[in-house]
Amino acid sequence: MKPLTDYGVPRSWWTWLGAAKAAGSAGLLAGLFVPVVGVLAGIGLVLYFAGAVVTVLRARSYSTVVFPCSTWAR
């Protein structure tokens, strides 16, 4: 979990972040049967990963942001 410590994410958050990502993926699967749940899970995951990008930028780890940004430009 070296990247998390490099980015300044407190260890006490790690479990909660993992649970949020697991809940999002479970919500996407549930969304196959209940579309509203899938949409809400998708929105939650987009916000989760937007927060991850902000965290990386705040840590000034620009070398790890280049790859995701280059795929968006396509």
Side-chain angles (χ1 to χ4, degrees), residues 13 25 44 60 69:
W13 291 14
S25 63
R60 298 180 192 269
C69 289

Side-chain angles (χ1 to χ4, degrees), residues 2 11-12 19-20 25 28-29 32-33 35-36 40 45 48 57 64-65 68 70-71:
K2 185 175 177 341
R11 187 158 172 70
S12 62
S25 63
L28 288 178
L29 287 174
L32 295 172
F33 305 103
V36 172
L40 293 174
L45 285 172
Y48 176 91
L57 292 174
T64 58
V65 177
S70 66
T71 59

Side-chain angles (χ1 to χ4, degrees), residues 3 5-8 52-66:
T5 56
D6 290 347
Y7 300 151
V53 170
V54 168
T55 299
V56 171
L57 292 174
R58 284 187 59 228
R60 298 180 192 269
S61 182
Y62 302 119
S63 64
T64 58
V65 177
V66 173

